[in-house]
Amino acid sequence: MPALLAEDRTVLRLGGADARKFLQDLVTNDVSTLAEGPVYAAILSPQGKYLFDFFLVDDGETVLLDVVADRAPDLAKRLALYRLRADVTVEETSLRVALIWGEAPIPGAVPDPRHPALGARLYAEAPAIGDLQAGARADYDALRVTHLVPETGVELQPDATYILEAGFDRLHGVDFRKGCYVGQEVTARMHHKTELKKGLVRVAVEGPAPPPGTEVTADGRAAGTLFTTADGTGLAHLRFDRATGEMQAGAATLRRL
């Protein structure tokens, strides 16, 4: 089974009597289900734009919060801003995150709630992955591309991305029945539209793949942005009305899959 030590992740711990209610009022998903398994969720701006995404994991009386490391300090500040007088503590742990994908279960690991193909996540001071097949970030990114899963700071851009355009409903990252949270009104309005006009899609990439963030054009007009590429395919955020035929990104030719 392939395994990868995710050096780019930080694990925070939320404690205090009000921690779960605090999260329930703030994040896009239903925290009341934590006892049944990990929850993928986001915090949005009041205008409904993505700010942070993370995994919430039940840890007895506390909740672990697994977030990309370079966003952890800003997330901790955001949590402190909303905490007010609630009995909530936020601290950084020394836990590390291992990503494990494949068929067999790993003791202590929890399933990635976004998609079964992404396997499991293991939280430990020193994850025991030495006996597993060493995976590479490129292997994991190829899985993401195959299953249309965005990554923090790549396809998910703070203060720019709308989570429904990034597929959070398909990735079990938003609950439309849980009630209010920051940015909920905008998200609900988008959900009830008959059709989104833009979104994240898989594309075939022919020719040399350009770096993430390269503009996509169609007939000379801006059509979106190409992000992660792997094995002749990629993830692109596109305007659907312009993504109807061949497109260009750098020296590569794209078509929607």
Side-chain angles (χ1 to χ4, degrees):
M1 290 181 63
L4 171 68
L5 195 60
E7 301 284 5
D8 61 339
R9 306 295 295 188
T10 290
V11 180
L12 304 178
R13 185 185 303 277
L14 274 68
D18 299 330
R20 295 180 191 236
K21 182 182 183 304
F22 169 73
L23 287 169
Q24 183 74 348
D25 293 341
L26 183 60
V27 307
T28 58
N29 216 338
D30 186 0
V31 177
S32 70
T33 65
L34 267 177
E36 303 168 17
V39 169
Y40 179 55
I43 289 177
L44 310 181
S45 71
Q47 295 75 34
K49 292 185 177 181
Y50 160 88
L51 294 177
F52 308 92
D53 67 310
F54 39 78
F55 301 88
L56 299 172
V57 181
D58 183 272
D59 195 41
E61 295 184 356
T62 63
V63 177
L64 301 181
L65 192 157
D66 165 7
V67 64
V68 73
D70 64 6
R71 297 289 289 153
D74 285 343
L75 175 57
K77 290 178 185 177
R78 177 72 55 160
L79 294 173
L81 175 67
Y82 283 116
R83 182 175 56 196
L84 300 176
R85 297 183 180 179
D87 181 7
V88 178
T89 60
V90 181
E91 61 180 1
E92 184 174 331
T93 75
S94 57
L95 294 174
R96 304 180 77 189
V97 184
L99 311 177
I100 304 166
W101 59 100
E103 297 296 328
I106 297 296
V110 298
D112 189 316
R114 297 172 297 175
H115 195 286
L118 296 179
R121 305 175 79 87
L122 180 64
Y123 301 96
E125 296 288 342
I129 63 173
D131 295 334
L132 300 174
Q133 175 187 343
R137 176 60 66 175
D139 300 329
Y140 194 75
D141 284 342
L143 269 180
R144 290 198 305 103
V145 171
T146 297
H147 298 286
L148 198 55
V149 178
E151 179 61 84
T152 309
V154 186
E155 292 83 17
L156 295 172
Q157 296 288 325
D159 279 316
T161 300
Y162 287 102
I163 60 169
L164 297 190
E165 291 182 357
F168 265 61
D169 45 348
R170 175 177 47 80
L171 298 171
H172 315 293
V174 58
D175 188 307
F176 297 106
R177 300 168 297 176
K178 60 159 284 187
C180 293
Y181 53 87
V182 177
Q184 182 265 345
E185 184 177 349
V186 174
T187 305
R189 241 188 351 255
M190 291 183 71
H191 174 61
H192 292 296
K193 281 184 175 181
T194 55
E195 190 174 6
L196 293 174
K197 296 182 179 179
K198 297 182 290 184
L200 191 68
V201 299
R202 289 181 69 237
V203 293
V205 181
E206 298 178 6
T214 298
E215 182 183 45
V216 177
T217 60
D219 296 325
R221 298 187 298 171
T225 306
L226 178 65
F227 294 105
T228 306
T229 58
D231 302 326
T233 58
L235 300 181
H237 185 269
L238 299 177
R239 282 185 52 165
F240 298 143
D241 62 336
R242 295 184 180 178
T244 57
E246 284 195 351
M247 297 167 283
Q248 290 71 46
T253 299
L254 313 182
R255 57 181 176 79
R256 186 174 172 184
L257 294 174

